[in-house]
mmCIF file of all heavy atoms in Angstrom:
data_model
loop_
_atom_site.group_PDB
_atom_site.id
_atom_site.type_symbol
_atom_site.label_atom_id
_atom_site.label_comp_id
_atom_site.label_asym_id
_atom_site.label_seq_id
_atom_site.Cartn_x
_atom_site.Cartn_y
_atom_site.Cartn_z
ATOM 1 N N ALA I 165 -10.598 13.457 -10.527
ATOM 2 C CA ALA I 165 -12.035 13.357 -10.487
ATOM 3 C C ALA I 165 -12.586 12.528 -11.624
ATOM 4 O O ALA I 165 -13.515 11.734 -11.470
ATOM 5 C CB ALA I 165 -12.643 14.766 -10.474
ATOM 6 N N LYS I 166 -12.013 12.695 -12.830
ATOM 7 C CA LYS I 166 -12.424 11.904 -13.997
ATOM 8 C C LYS I 166 -12.150 10.432 -13.725
ATOM 9 O O LYS I 166 -12.961 9.574 -14.087
ATOM 10 C CB LYS I 166 -11.678 12.368 -15.241
ATOM 11 C CG LYS I 166 -12.143 13.675 -15.786
ATOM 12 C CD LYS I 166 -13.470 13.533 -16.457
ATOM 13 C CE LYS I 166 -13.675 14.553 -17.519
ATOM 14 N NZ LYS I 166 -14.919 14.370 -18.245
ATOM 15 N N LEU I 167 -11.029 10.109 -13.122
ATOM 16 C CA LEU I 167 -10.697 8.709 -12.817
ATOM 17 C C LEU I 167 -11.699 8.157 -11.806
ATOM 18 O O LEU I 167 -12.223 7.045 -12.000
ATOM 19 C CB LEU I 167 -9.284 8.582 -12.253
ATOM 20 C CG LEU I 167 -8.879 7.176 -11.780
ATOM 21 C CD1 LEU I 167 -8.923 6.190 -12.942
ATOM 22 C CD2 LEU I 167 -7.485 7.230 -11.158
ATOM 23 N N TYR I 168 -12.005 8.907 -10.771
ATOM 24 C CA TYR I 168 -13.012 8.469 -9.797
ATOM 25 C C TYR I 168 -14.372 8.243 -10.465
ATOM 26 O O TYR I 168 -15.064 7.290 -10.154
ATOM 27 C CB TYR I 168 -13.125 9.473 -8.671
ATOM 28 C CG TYR I 168 -12.043 9.397 -7.623
ATOM 29 C CD1 TYR I 168 -10.773 8.968 -7.887
ATOM 30 C CD2 TYR I 168 -12.344 9.757 -6.309
ATOM 31 C CE1 TYR I 168 -9.804 8.900 -6.942
ATOM 32 C CE2 TYR I 168 -11.380 9.667 -5.312
ATOM 33 C CZ TYR I 168 -10.103 9.250 -5.627
ATOM 34 O OH TYR I 168 -9.144 9.184 -4.651
ATOM 35 N N MET I 169 -14.717 9.119 -11.387
ATOM 36 C CA MET I 169 -15.989 8.946 -12.148
ATOM 37 C C MET I 169 -15.957 7.659 -12.946
ATOM 38 O O MET I 169 -16.934 6.892 -12.934
ATOM 39 C CB MET I 169 -16.215 10.109 -13.103
ATOM 40 C CG MET I 169 -16.734 11.366 -12.468
ATOM 41 S SD MET I 169 -16.830 12.708 -13.672
ATOM 42 C CE MET I 169 -17.680 11.967 -15.039
ATOM 43 N N ALA I 170 -14.849 7.396 -13.621
ATOM 44 C CA ALA I 170 -14.744 6.180 -14.431
ATOM 45 C C ALA I 170 -14.862 4.940 -13.577
ATOM 46 O O ALA I 170 -15.365 3.905 -14.060
ATOM 47 C CB ALA I 170 -13.407 6.187 -15.188
ATOM 48 N N LEU I 171 -14.435 5.043 -12.346
ATOM 49 C CA LEU I 171 -14.537 3.870 -11.428
ATOM 50 C C LEU I 171 -15.869 3.840 -10.677
ATOM 51 O O LEU I 171 -16.074 2.954 -9.869
ATOM 52 C CB LEU I 171 -13.375 3.934 -10.428
ATOM 53 C CG LEU I 171 -11.986 3.802 -11.050
ATOM 54 C CD1 LEU I 171 -10.926 4.027 -9.975
ATOM 55 C CD2 LEU I 171 -11.803 2.467 -11.740
ATOM 56 N N GLY I 172 -16.743 4.807 -10.933
ATOM 57 C CA GLY I 172 -18.038 4.851 -10.293
ATOM 58 C C GLY I 172 -18.003 5.378 -8.880
ATOM 59 O O GLY I 172 -18.914 5.156 -8.090
ATOM 60 N N LEU I 173 -16.953 6.122 -8.554
ATOM 61 C CA LEU I 173 -16.806 6.660 -7.210
ATOM 62 C C LEU I 173 -17.176 8.167 -7.187
ATOM 63 O O LEU I 173 -17.160 8.826 -8.206
ATOM 64 C CB LEU I 173 -15.337 6.542 -6.754
ATOM 65 C CG LEU I 173 -14.799 5.122 -6.775
ATOM 66 C CD1 LEU I 173 -13.282 5.147 -6.528
ATOM 67 C CD2 LEU I 173 -15.481 4.246 -5.781
ATOM 68 N N ARG I 174 -17.501 8.664 -6.015
ATOM 69 C CA ARG I 174 -17.743 10.083 -5.795
ATOM 70 C C ARG I 174 -18.782 10.714 -6.728
ATOM 71 O O ARG I 174 -18.444 11.615 -7.541
ATOM 72 C CB ARG I 174 -16.444 10.863 -5.861
ATOM 73 C CG ARG I 174 -15.379 10.524 -4.861
ATOM 74 C CD ARG I 174 -15.757 10.887 -3.441
ATOM 75 N NE ARG I 174 -16.084 12.245 -3.255
ATOM 76 C CZ ARG I 174 -15.233 13.249 -3.035
ATOM 77 N NH1 ARG I 174 -13.960 12.991 -2.989
ATOM 78 N NH2 ARG I 174 -15.641 14.448 -2.866
ATOM 79 N N PRO I 175 -20.028 10.309 -6.684
ATOM 80 C CA PRO I 175 -21.052 10.933 -7.536
ATOM 81 C C PRO I 175 -21.159 12.446 -7.350
ATOM 82 O O PRO I 175 -21.509 13.148 -8.281
ATOM 83 C CB PRO I 175 -22.365 10.241 -7.093
ATOM 84 C CG PRO I 175 -21.953 9.006 -6.367
ATOM 85 C CD PRO I 175 -20.569 9.242 -5.841
ATOM 86 N N SER I 176 -20.840 12.950 -6.161
ATOM 87 C CA SER I 176 -20.918 14.396 -5.961
ATOM 88 C C SER I 176 -19.920 15.113 -6.865
ATOM 89 O O SER I 176 -20.201 16.218 -7.361
ATOM 90 C CB SER I 176 -20.668 14.754 -4.491
ATOM 91 O OG SER I 176 -19.371 14.363 -4.108
ATOM 92 N N VAL I 177 -18.766 14.532 -7.098
ATOM 93 C CA VAL I 177 -17.759 15.129 -7.975
ATOM 94 C C VAL I 177 -18.239 14.971 -9.428
ATOM 95 O O VAL I 177 -18.093 15.907 -10.240
ATOM 96 C CB VAL I 177 -16.366 14.485 -7.818
ATOM 97 C CG1 VAL I 177 -15.395 14.958 -8.844
ATOM 98 C CG2 VAL I 177 -15.855 14.771 -6.403
ATOM 99 N N ALA I 178 -18.820 13.861 -9.734
ATOM 100 C CA ALA I 178 -19.353 13.617 -11.086
ATOM 101 C C ALA I 178 -20.430 14.645 -11.415
ATOM 102 O O ALA I 178 -20.453 15.161 -12.537
ATOM 103 C CB ALA I 178 -19.920 12.198 -11.216
ATOM 104 N N ASP I 179 -21.312 14.944 -10.470
ATOM 105 C CA ASP I 179 -22.340 15.961 -10.699
ATOM 106 C C ASP I 179 -21.736 17.302 -10.976
ATOM 107 O O ASP I 179 -22.284 18.086 -11.725
ATOM 108 C CB ASP I 179 -23.251 16.065 -9.463
ATOM 109 C CG ASP I 179 -24.115 14.833 -9.284
ATOM 110 O OD1 ASP I 179 -24.283 14.059 -10.245
ATOM 111 O OD2 ASP I 179 -24.650 14.625 -8.164
ATOM 112 N N LEU I 180 -20.601 17.562 -10.396
ATOM 113 C CA LEU I 180 -19.919 18.855 -10.557
ATOM 114 C C LEU I 180 -19.284 18.983 -11.924
ATOM 115 O O LEU I 180 -19.386 20.018 -12.557
ATOM 116 C CB LEU I 180 -18.873 18.984 -9.448
ATOM 117 C CG LEU I 180 -18.123 20.294 -9.325
ATOM 118 C CD1 LEU I 180 -19.091 21.414 -8.948
ATOM 119 C CD2 LEU I 180 -17.040 20.165 -8.283
#
Side-chain angles (χ1 to χ4, degrees):
K166 287 286 206 176
L167 175 61
Y168 279 31
M169 280 175 50
L171 296 174
L173 305 171
R174 298 293 304 275
S176 61
V177 173
D179 291 342
L180 185 65

